[in-house]
Structure formats: structure tokens, C-alpha cells
Amino acid sequence: MPSDAIAQPVTTELTGREARWERHNSERQKRILTSAVELIEERAAGAEVSVQQIADRAGLAKSVVYRQFSGRDDLDRRVRAFVLGQFAAALDASMSISVGTLDQILTRTISAVAEWITEHPRIHEFMGTGPTDYDDESIDAISSLKATIADSARTTITEVGRSVGIDSSPFDSLPFAVVTMVEGTLTHWVRSTDPKPSREEIIADLAKYTWYMFDGVARSSGLQIDPHVELSTLIAELVSSDGGTSRPD
């Protein structure tokens, strides 16, 4: 083929057709992934969901599902990534520091995790069976989710520290420690058959433990933070007075 033939521009019609095809593919894949999640939610513990069942729920032929994914492993990885993305996006709203006291932010974030684990036990179980499509085999989707949440929290802490002129490095390992504690404790709580506290009680306990950890690191860095004062107000005070009333005398 002549080199100038390769360099010919793509027509507007072809570009438009390709764009529609890409959008169609994206919508079709989302339908398949959503159908897979629904079926996993509905299954009994340990029961398998077949590709045929997923295809039937999505209203597609089984061959169409296999054309969208390279195989069952690819489909499962994509389902985990799909769930992780949705949950991480929802959790970001809970973790927002623009509204609420630190105590309220911790409580609503832990509450969101507790709600997800208790309301979606089969999905939580499935997330622990393997990796997403962007992780290697050594990392299951739960581990990837914990790392994602911890990274988001660490980024927020770093940005706040930079804005108020405080070295945030002492807090670097705190987010992952907190996330691991919260997820592990909630998983144990959900699976426990012994008499156990209510969801509200376990959330309150975990929010308290998280605050103790945060407060310990803060005090070791020379900071005293009131968890019952609007966090945006505390940050504004630190910015305006180089520590203000949130630092010890």
C-alpha cells in the first residue's frame, strides 16, 4: 500500500460512525456489567453466575458478551473495576471536607462503608475473589479499593497541610491504617454469628477509634484539633493565624 494512502484523512462520516460505535460499545458493556452485578447481588452465597445468565439479563446473545470481553476472567476483572469505581465515587462525597465537623465526616464516611458491606454482601465477597482489570494477580479488588480510599484521604490531608503551612508527612501512613481497620472490623462484624452491636453502634465505635488515631498523630505534631468544630472553620483559622486556636499554647 502506498504511504500516501495511509496518510489520507478519515472522512467525517466515518469518524461519526466510529464515534457512534464506540458509544454503543460503551453502553453495551455497561449493560453487561450492570447485569452481572445484579445477578451477583441476587445469588446465594458461593453460587456461580454464568455468562449465559448475564447475557440473558442484559438481553444479549452470549456470543455478544464474549465479543465485548476477551474471556470470563476479563469480564470478572471488569465487573470488579466497575463496582470499585462506583463505590469510590460515592465514598468521595462522604469524605468531602467542605461540610461538617471532623467527627461528622468520619462518621458519615464509615457509615457509607458499613452500609455498602452490609447491603451488598455478595458483591463484597466477589470483590475479594480476584483483581480488577488494572491490577495484577497479587492484588484483589478489596485491597485495591482500600488503597484507592487511602490514597484519596492522604491526598486531601496533604493538600490541607500545604494550605495551612503544616508538614503532613506524619499522617502519611494513617489513612491506610484506618481504612484497613475499618474494613477488617466491619467484615468481621458482618460475618459474626455471635451477639453483636448494632450497625449504629459499630459505626460510632469505629469513628471513635479513628479519631483517637488521628488525634494521636496530630498531637505528636503539635496540633490540637476539636473534632466538634466545623472543619472548614478550623482550616480557615489555621490559614489566617498560622495555627490559631487549633495549636497548643
Side-chain angles (χ1 to χ4, degrees), residues 126-148:
F126 176 72
M127 293 288 279
T129 62
T132 66
D133 63 327
Y134 50 78
D135 290 315
D136 62 40
E137 294 290 343
S138 66
I139 303 174
D140 64 40
I142 291 295
S143 298
S144 185
L145 176 59
K146 289 191 290 187
T148 298

Side-chain angles (χ1 to χ4, degrees), residues 158-168 235 238-239 242-243 247:
T158 299
E159 290 174 350
V160 170
R162 185 181 300 115
S163 70
V164 301
I166 294 172
D167 177 19
S168 64
I235 293 172
L238 286 167
V239 171
D242 190 29
R247 289 184 182 274

Side-chain angles (χ1 to χ4, degrees), residues 47-217:
E48 292 293 329
V49 173
S50 70
V51 175
Q52 185 64 63
Q53 289 174 310
I54 294 170
D56 291 344
R57 175 63 64 93
L60 301 168
K62 184 177 178 180
S63 59
V64 173
V65 175
Y66 277 118
R67 281 202 296 272
Q68 299 296 319
F69 304 94
S70 62
R72 183 56 193 261
D73 182 61
D74 181 41
L75 173 57
D76 286 347
R77 284 171 174 258
R78 289 286 300 279
V79 170
R80 295 187 196 102
F82 180 66
V83 171
L84 191 154
Q86 288 188 319
F87 179 61
L91 199 59
D92 278 344
S94 299
M95 294 172 63
S96 172
I97 64 173
S98 60
V99 178
T101 66
L102 185 55
D103 180 61
Q104 290 170 338
I105 294 168
L106 294 176
T107 299
R108 73 179 181 230
T109 300
I110 293 169
S111 179
V113 177
E115 179 179 355
W116 183 71
I117 291 178
T118 54
E119 299 295 330
H120 308 283
R122 300 286 78 82
I123 289 294
H124 183 245
E125 174 187 89
F126 176 72
M127 293 288 279
T129 62
T132 66
D133 63 327
Y134 50 78
D135 290 315
D136 62 40
E137 294 290 343
S138 66
I139 303 174
D140 64 40
I142 291 295
S143 298
S144 185
L145 176 59
K146 289 191 290 187
T148 298
I149 297 170
D151 286 345
S152 177
R154 185 165 49 249
T155 297
T156 298
I157 293 172
T158 299
E159 290 174 350
V160 170
R162 185 181 300 115
S163 70
V164 301
I166 294 172
D167 177 19
S168 64
S169 60
F171 293 85
D172 283 352
S173 61
L174 180 63
F176 190 76
V178 168
V179 169
T180 300
M181 176 194 70
V182 170
E183 192 276 332
T185 302
L186 287 174
T187 298
H188 173 75
W189 172 77
V190 166
R191 295 174 179 173
S192 176
T193 57
D194 297 328
K196 57 187 179 182
S198 67
R199 187 161 82 182
E200 291 72 21
E201 290 171 332
I202 195 68
I203 290 170
D205 284 346
L206 286 170
K208 181 171 58 180
Y209 304 155
T210 300
W211 162 245
Y212 291 158
M213 295 168 70
F214 186 91
D215 187 45
V217 177

